[in-house]
Each structure stands twice: as C-alpha cells, then as structure tokens.
Amino acid sequence: MARIIAGVTSSHVPAIGAAIDNHRTEEPYWKRVFSGFEKSKEWMAKVKPDVCIAVYNDHASAFSVEIVPTFALGCAAEFPPADEGWGPRPVPVVKGHPQLAAHIAQSVILDEFDLTVVNKMEVDHGLTVPMNLLFGSPKEWPCPVIPLAVNVVLYPPPTGHRCFMLGRAIRKAVESYPEDLRVVMMGTGGMSHQISGPRAGLINSKFDKAFLDNLSKDPKKLMRMPHIDYMREAGAEGIEMVMWLVMRGALDDKVDEVYRFYTVPASNTAVGHIILANRAKSAKRKPVAKHKRAAARAKVDRIRS
Ligand SMILES: [Fe+2]
C-alpha cells in the first residue's frame, strides 16, 4: 500500500530560481536564504521518497487566462520547464508518475471531488524552485513528481477548507494504491508578499509565523480563514498560502514538526518553509518481500489494462 509519510512546504520565489541559475547562491544576500534549506536537503536525501505530489500554482506558463482550472492534476509522463520573466529555467524535465496520478484522479473524482486531468503540461518556478531547495541541482530529479496546479491567480481561488479536504481525498487515494510507495506531499507558495499596487513589498512576519504555528499544530483554525484575511494580512499574493492546506490535509491530525525556516526578505517576499512528518508511521523504508512487490505491481498493471 502507498502512504504519505510527510509534508513539506516552501516559498517558490522566482528570484531564488534566478539566483541558482546565475550562480549567485554564495552571495551573502542569497546565502542567508539557501543556508536555511541545507538541513531540508539532508532530510530529503535521507527520506528518499518514491514519489512527490507537488501542490503549486502556475503563473500563466501552462494556463493562460482563457482557461484557469481550479485544481489541475498532471497525469503525463513528463513535464518540461517553462516560465514567465526569465524564461524556462535550466532544470531537468520533471518525470511524472502516470499510474499513481491516474489512480488519484479516479479515486478523488469518484469521491465527488472534481479535478481537471491534464495530460500535457509545462511547469514553472512555482514547482521547480521548491524542487531545487529540497533536492539541490541534480542532473535528473531523484524521484517522480505529480504536479497539482491550484488556481490562486484568478478570482475566485478555492477556500482553505476545500484545499484541506482535497488533501484528505488525495490521502485516501494514495492509501488505496496497491504498490508500496512512500509519498511526500509538497505545498508551495507564499509567504506574505504583494508584487504590485501601493502595498507592493508588504511583508508580515507576525502573520507568517502564526500561520506556520497553526499549520503545524492547529490547521483547522486555518481552514476557516477567509480569503480577505490572507489578502489583508499577507498581501494580494499571500493567498498562495492556501495551497499549503492541501499538503496539511493529506497528513495526520497530529504531526511532528521536523524543521522550520523563515527569513525576510528574499526579493520582495517572505520565505517560509516547514517539514511535518506523520507520527504513526516511521519515515524509514520497511523491507517488503520480493513476491509482495511483484504482486502489487501485477495488481497495478491489472488496474491499468
Ligand atoms: Fe507564485
């Protein structure tokens, strides 16, 4: 059986990607940001997930304003990079997991939770920057990634409650997948920032830190927070944080906070990051007998055919 072992959230500031791509990570300004992810990379290298599900938002790279799905699940075999501003980043193509993605789509939609199934999609800094922060800059990403794009760019975005419940539905889907896979949920975006208008450059550390506290210990409080509170307290683009609730909904009610990092500013935003692990199950890989793995794979093949 597949299971979600942990959740990781991180900001996806595009300037972080530009700093990586232009070899500026050792500059004092950027070193402060990148040093906060060293422990996270060590943690990820130790945990070695079989699959990641990355909840992020597209910034008009894959979807124009003509079509903006509320929740779009990437079911393709691969997702090439694309981006606004600096153009496509020089990062590896993201390899998907079409079998698990199709299974999630089936389970979640039949559970009356509608998703848009996307069989061709490019992914931008919303997904690739957190990948760098958590995996470094390898030639190939170390595990398949299923992208889940959430609309937070065109009103109305989904509510925090809806995002949390989607996380719950994804968890149920993952746990009904027969192959023994250890899955890490990623949530990206935020934290407080506003990129235009009179409040451009807004950062609210008090709000951000309280959000991290609640995400860890009392996520139900965040489920009830209306959009206007995100906008008022965390800036217009702070609404991206609603995506972190998809990650949180996929975890146990009580979790262990493994690590947290927060720094300001990076570009004109606050950078926040947290790692939460499910308590009930060990993050260590359980040995599975060869014949059980073969039987699980055969079951997956039967489902596919
Ligand atoms: Fe963003």
Side-chain angles (χ1 to χ4, degrees):
M1 180 188 92
R3 62 198 164 98
I4 293 172
I5 55 168
V8 183
T9 62
S10 162
S11 303
H12 61 222
V13 187
I16 292 178
I20 296 167
D21 303 340
N22 295 304
H23 314 290
R24 296 176 59 192
T25 55
E26 290 301 313
E27 292 176 10
Y29 181 91
W30 287 112
K31 201 165 181 163
R32 169 179 51 86
V33 174
F34 290 107
S35 62
F37 289 87
E38 287 306 317
K39 280 203 171 87
S40 322
K41 282 192 280 188
E42 283 169 24
W43 177 86
M44 199 57 114
K46 216 163 144 187
V47 167
K48 286 190 177 58
D50 296 308
V51 185
C52 284
I53 299 172
V55 186
Y56 77 109
N57 71 286
D58 176 69
H59 303 75
S61 303
F63 306 113
S64 73
V65 287
E66 289 172 0
I67 298 176
V68 183
T70 302
F71 298 114
L73 188 71
C75 295
E78 55 182 43
F79 307 91
D83 231 307
E84 56 176 349
W86 286 283
R89 299 189 54 224
V91 290
V93 167
V94 171
K95 300 278 169 66
H97 195 302
Q99 296 88 355
L100 178 58
H103 175 81
I104 291 172
Q106 174 177 277
S107 172
V108 168
I109 292 169
L110 296 185
D111 227 0
E112 302 183 343
F113 210 122
D114 305 327
L115 292 179
T116 300
V117 172
V118 186
N119 291 318
K120 188 177 179 192
M121 184 164 77
E122 294 169 324
V123 289
D124 68 13
H125 68 270
L127 188 144
T128 60
V129 164
M131 290 290 287
N132 283 127
L133 292 173
L134 299 170
F135 294 107
S137 299
K139 282 195 175 143
E140 300 289 335
W141 299 120
C143 68
V145 176
I146 298 174
L148 173 62
V150 177
N151 168 38
V152 289
V153 296
L154 188 72
Y155 187 83
T159 63
H161 178 264
R162 190 68 172 153
C163 287
F164 189 93
M165 296 313 291
L166 175 59
R168 280 276 186 268
I170 290 173
R171 174 189 178 134
K172 186 178 162 193
V174 167
E175 289 181 349
S176 64
Y177 191 73
E179 198 175 345
D180 177 48
L181 296 176
R182 295 157 67 256
V183 179
V184 165
M185 283 291 289
M186 289 165 59
T188 83
M191 296 194 85
S192 58
H193 66 299
Q194 176 148 341
I195 56 174
S196 60
R199 297 203 307 160
L202 177 146
I203 286 175
N204 185 346
S205 299
K206 198 175 162 198
F207 175 88
D208 290 339
K209 287 174 182 172
F211 190 92
L212 289 169
D213 287 343
N214 284 324
L215 194 71
S216 181
K217 293 192 175 67
D218 192 5
K220 293 200 170 143
K221 204 182 252 178
L222 298 177
M223 287 165 70
R224 295 188 292 270
M225 187 159 66
H227 290 143
I228 192 67
D229 285 8
Y230 285 92
M231 311 275 284
R232 187 186 294 120
E233 298 294 331
E237 280 72 32
I239 190 65
E240 288 183 346
M241 277 187 273
V242 82
M243 295 185 289
W244 293 20
L245 293 179
V246 181
M247 176 286 280
R248 189 61 182 89
L251 300 183
D252 293 343
D253 287 343
K254 289 194 188 308
V255 292
D256 289 323
E257 186 174 322
V258 176
Y259 180 63
R260 182 192 296 206
F261 174 64
Y262 183 83
T263 189
V264 292
S267 185
N268 56 353
T269 79
V271 168
H273 165 51
I274 200 165
I275 300 176
L276 304 172
N278 279 338
R279 284 180 183 174
K281 294 143 194 160
S282 162
K284 283 186 183 168
R285 181 184 290 278
K286 276 187 190 169
V288 176
K290 257 186 183 175
H291 71 279
K292 281 191 179 171
R293 279 183 179 268
R297 281 205 193 96
K299 197 169 175 186
V300 172
D301 289 341
R302 280 201 301 279
I303 291 169
R304 291 174 65 195
S305 59

